[in-house]
Amino acid sequence: MTAALVLRGLTKRYADLAAVDGLDLTVEAGTLYGFLGPNGAGKTTTIRMLLGLVHPTGGTMEVLGAPIGAAQLRRIGALVEEPAFWRYLSGGRNLEYFARAAGPSGDRRDRLGRVDEVLGQVGLADAGGKKVKAYSQGMRQRLGIARALLGRPDVLVLDEPTNGLDPQGMREVRLLLRRLADGGTTVFVSSHLLGEVESMCDRVGVLARGRLVAEGSPAQLRGSGDRLRIDVDDPAGARRLLGGMAGLALGAHGDGARTGAGAGAGTLRVHLAAPATAAAVNAALVAGGVAVSALVPERERLEDVFLELTGPEP
Amino acid sequence: MFRVELGKAARRWRTWALALVLGAIPALFVLALVLSPPASGDDGPPFMVQTLRNGLFAPLVALVLLQPFFLPLTAGLLSGDAIAGESSAGTLRYLLVRPVGRTRLILAKYASVMALLGLLLAWVLVVGLVVGTIAFDLRPLATLSGTTVGVGPALARIAGSAAYVLAGVAGLAAVGLFISTLTESGPGATVATVAFAIVSQILGALSSLEVLHPYLLNTHWLAFVELLRSPVAAAPMLRGLAVFAAYTVVFLGAACLVLGRRDVHS
C-alpha cells in the first residue's frame, strides 16, 4: 500500500507553546483513519497544517506523495471545524459557488448534476433550494460533508464530521464514510467520540499534547486478554487465594466495597491470560471458602485506554 | 472566483439596498429643484437656475455629492468586508482549500469590489440622467469656462468624469482590502477604511500640512472638474491618476503579502 498522508516531525509553535510537537504520522491510502484526542490536543492545528491553512514551524508533510500545494488540495475534500457557508444563499447555490471558486470547472450541467448528487449522498436532496440560514445544525453539518465530497476527492479530511447530528444521522454518515473508504478513498476523521471511532475506523491514532501517543487498530489499542469482574463476600480473602495463580493479574483499580451487599462484600477486577480461565478462578475461590455472587467477563474499553494515554501528565 | 463574487453580490440584499440609497441621491436633487419654484424676475440668479435646470446636470451633481462621502463609504463597506467578512463567516478557509490561491483571492475580490462600485456609479448616473431628463429635458451644457458644449460631447465628458471618480475610489478600495486582511471583523475593517478616508480629508483641509497634500487621495478626487472646462486641462487629472495607481499597487501588494503569510485560524 502507498501512503496518502505522511507527517514527519510536524511542529507548530505559538510563542513558547507547542500546539503540535514533532508529530509523526502515516496514513495508508484507502484506510479510514480515526484521529483521536481530547480538546486542545492539536487535532485541528494538525488538520489546518495538512490543508495549508496554517504554516508549520517545523517538520515535513506529504499528501499523496508530494508536499501540499494546489494540485494536492484539488484531490482533498475537507471539513474543518464548523461547516461555514454563505448564509444568504441556498445550500445548492453554496455548493455550486464553492465548486466554481477554484477556477474554470467545465460544463455547467455536469457541475449542477454533481451538486445534486452530493446533496443526495448526505440526505439533503430536498433541502438544496433552502437558504442555509434556515438550516438546522445537523443539516449544515451534512452540507459540509457534501461540500467535501464535491470534487470526488482521493483524500477526505473531516474534523468531527458527526458533530450536531442525531443518532440516525451519525449512523448514516458512518456508513457513508465506510462506503467511501471501501471504494478506495482515504478518510481521515478527527473525533473525540471514542465509540464512533471504535466502531468505524480501520486504524486509530491517539494525539495528546501535540504528539501521537498510541496508534493501531481499535482492537490493538484495547489490548489483548479479557477482564473479569468478580463480586465476592470477602475481597481480601479472594485476593489472597488468587494472588499466586498463573496467568492472572489482579487489577490495580476497580476494587472496592459494593453498596447493597452484605458487610465486607466487594468487587475484584482481574486480567486473564492463558492458562488462567474464569472457571478456574471460580473453582479456586469456592474451594477456598469465598462465596462468589457474580463472575462477569468485561471487555476493556477504548475509553479506559484513551483516558490513561491522554490524562494529565504524571 | 470573480464571477462567483458577482453572483454572490447579486443575491445579496445589501447590494440592492446600496443601489436604492445611492440612486436616491440624484433623484432627490432633481426633486428639490422641481419643488423650488423657478426664480422669476430679478429675485434670483436666472443664469444659475437655467444652468441647473438641465437633465445633464443631475448626474454631475450626483458625482460631486458622491465623491467625498457616499462613495468612500460604499468602497469601505465592500472592500472592508471582502476578506474579513469571509474570515468571520468561516468561509475563508473553505475557499482556500478548494483551493483558491491567496493572491488570486485578493485580486478577484478587488476586481469584484471595483466592478460593483462601477456598476453602482453607472446606476447613479443613469438615474440622474433619466430623472433629470424627465424633469428638465436635455440642453447643451454650460462649462465652467463659460462656453457651452452639445449634449453628445457633454455626455462623453460626464462619462469621463465618472471614470475618473471610479479611479479615485480604486485607491481607497485597495486600502480597504488591505485592512480587511488584518482583521476578522468586517464592520471593523469598514470603519477603519472610512476613518482612513476621513483622516485623509482632514489632513487635506489643514493648510499647515501642505507638503502632504500631493500624496493624499482626496486632494485629487475632484480634479474631474477639469473635464467641465474648455479647453480641458489634463495635467491635474494625470497627477491624480498617478497617485491613485500608486495607492492601489502599494496596498494591494501589502494585502497579498499579509494574507499570503498569515495562518488562517478563523
Side-chain angles (χ1 to χ4, degrees):
Chain A
M1 271 202 288
T2 53
L5 305 176
V6 182
L7 313 182
R8 288 290 167 261
L10 192 66
T11 301
K12 180 65 185 181
R13 243 170 242 291
Y14 296 106
D16 53 348
L17 178 88
V20 175
D21 189 7
L23 177 63
D24 292 315
L25 183 81
T26 304
V27 178
E28 301 294 340
T31 45
L32 210 173
Y33 191 100
F35 194 41
L36 268 178
N39 294 335
K43 298 192 298 286
T44 298
T45 305
T46 304
I47 285 179
R48 282 183 182 265
M49 285 193 280
L50 262 177
L51 297 172
L53 293 172
V54 167
H55 307 292
T57 316
T60 61
M61 295 183 291
E62 271 191 14
V63 181
L64 297 160
I68 188 81
Q72 273 65 43
L73 282 171
R74 275 179 203 284
R75 296 170 64 190
I76 300 182
L79 177 69
V80 191
E81 296 184 278
E82 299 83 32
F85 294 95
W86 297 301
R87 296 167 54 84
Y88 50 89
L89 298 177
S90 72
R93 186 77 66 185
N94 261 286
L95 294 189
E96 190 205 331
Y97 281 178
F98 274 105
R100 279 170 58 185
S105 45
D107 186 55
R108 180 180 149 85
R109 240 195 359 253
D110 289 353
R111 199 166 55 224
L112 295 182
R114 182 61 186 158
V115 166
D116 287 341
E117 205 176 323
V118 293
L119 282 173
Q121 269 184 296
V122 297
L124 286 178
D126 299 329
K130 231 165 98 168
K131 286 197 174 173
V132 168
K133 65 178 149 202
Y135 275 30
S136 69
Q137 198 196 344
M139 289 166 81
R140 273 203 281 272
Q141 194 73 24
R142 286 161 188 259
L143 192 63
I145 295 170
R147 171 173 49 198
L149 297 175
L150 263 179
R152 295 190 180 82
D154 297 317
V155 176
L156 267 178
V157 177
L158 306 175
D159 200 2
E160 314 265 358
T162 58
N163 226 352
L165 295 181
D166 54 21
Q168 175 65 23
M170 286 190 185
R171 212 179 99 82
E172 284 169 22
V173 167
R174 278 205 295 270
L175 290 175
L176 173 65
L177 296 184
R178 190 64 259 173
R179 208 162 53 238
L180 289 165
D182 291 343
T185 306
T186 309
V187 186
F188 186 77
V189 186
S190 88
S191 183
H192 60 260
L193 297 176
L194 295 142
E196 174 173 298
V197 167
E198 192 171 5
S199 63
M200 160 174 92
C201 294
D202 304 315
R203 264 185 103 68
V204 176
V206 181
L207 193 71
R209 295 175 291 274
R211 290 169 169 278
L212 203 64
V213 290
E215 196 190 36
S217 69
Q220 282 170 339
L221 282 189
R222 272 198 306 271
S224 54
D226 290 316
R227 230 153 56 135
L228 204 58
R229 193 187 91 208
I230 314 166
D231 295 349
V232 292
D233 65 343
D234 175 12
R239 263 181 184 281
R240 216 165 36 245
L241 284 168
L242 297 176
M245 209 166 162
L248 186 142
L250 283 164
H253 56 87
D255 290 16
R258 276 193 312 139
T259 53
T267 297
L268 253 66
R269 280 194 165 80
V270 297
H271 258 290
L272 290 182
T277 63
V281 167
N282 190 31
L285 290 175
V286 173
V290 173
V292 179
S293 56
L295 201 62
V296 186
E298 278 185 340
R299 269 172 44 133
E300 187 153 28
R301 291 173 311 159
L302 197 55
E303 184 177 329
D304 299 327
V305 178
F306 179 75
L307 289 176
E308 206 170 297
L309 287 168
T310 62
E313 237 159 335
Chain B
M1 187 66 213
F2 172 67
R3 285 166 62 185
V4 166
E5 280 302 315
L6 291 188
K8 278 165 60 193
R11 289 178 175 80
R12 221 172 164 173
W13 186 82
R14 177 179 87 178
T15 314
W16 300 105
L18 274 175
L20 196 70
V21 170
L22 295 182
I25 292 170
L28 286 176
F29 168 72
V30 170
L31 188 70
L33 274 186
V34 169
L35 291 182
S36 68
S40 52
D42 33 31
D43 277 32
F47 169 76
M48 194 57 201
V49 171
Q50 268 321 104
T51 310
L52 285 173
R53 299 178 77 83
N54 179 350
L56 287 175
F57 218 79
L60 275 179
V61 170
L63 280 183
V64 174
L65 290 178
L66 279 176
Q67 179 66 289
F69 185 67
F70 286 101
L71 213 52
L73 201 63
T74 310
L77 178 64
L78 297 177
S79 65
D81 192 53
I83 300 295
E86 301 285 358
S87 197
S88 67
T91 41
L92 178 62
R93 62 178 183 270
Y94 288 108
L95 283 173
L96 295 181
V97 303
R98 284 315 304 170
V100 180
R102 297 185 184 203
T103 300
R104 218 182 115 227
L105 182 65
I106 294 276
L107 296 180
K109 283 283 188 184
Y110 183 70
S112 71
V113 167
M114 288 316 298
L116 272 183
L117 286 171
L119 287 172
L120 285 170
L121 205 54
W123 159 249
V124 170
L125 294 187
V126 167
V127 169
L129 209 54
V130 168
V131 176
T133 305
I134 291 171
F136 307 124
D137 236 338
L138 295 179
R139 273 189 281 269
L141 189 69
T143 66
L144 296 171
S145 317
T147 60
T148 52
V149 288
V151 171
L155 282 175
R157 287 183 184 218
I158 291 170
S161 305
Y164 182 84
V165 166
L166 188 64
V169 89
L172 186 64
V175 172
L177 210 65
F178 167 67
I179 295 173
S180 192
T181 60
L182 300 175
T183 166
E184 281 178 22
S185 158
T190 293
V191 168
T193 309
V194 174
F196 177 90
I198 293 173
V199 168
S200 192
Q201 297 194 38
I202 292 172
L203 295 181
L206 296 176
S207 52
S208 53
L209 294 175
E210 221 157 64
V211 286
L212 275 182
H213 290 181
Y215 309 105
L216 297 176
L217 283 172
N218 42 282
T219 308
H220 307 280
W221 274 352
L222 290 174
F224 68 86
V225 295
E226 299 297 335
L227 281 172
L228 305 179
R229 297 188 209 280
S230 292
V232 173
M237 297 208 314
L238 290 178
R239 274 199 300 276
L241 288 175
V243 171
F244 304 154
Y247 268 76
T248 304
V249 168
V250 167
F251 282 96
L252 272 192
C256 290
L257 271 181
V258 168
L259 189 66
R261 283 153 186 254
R262 195 179 96 178
D263 283 345
V264 175
H265 288 292
S266 63

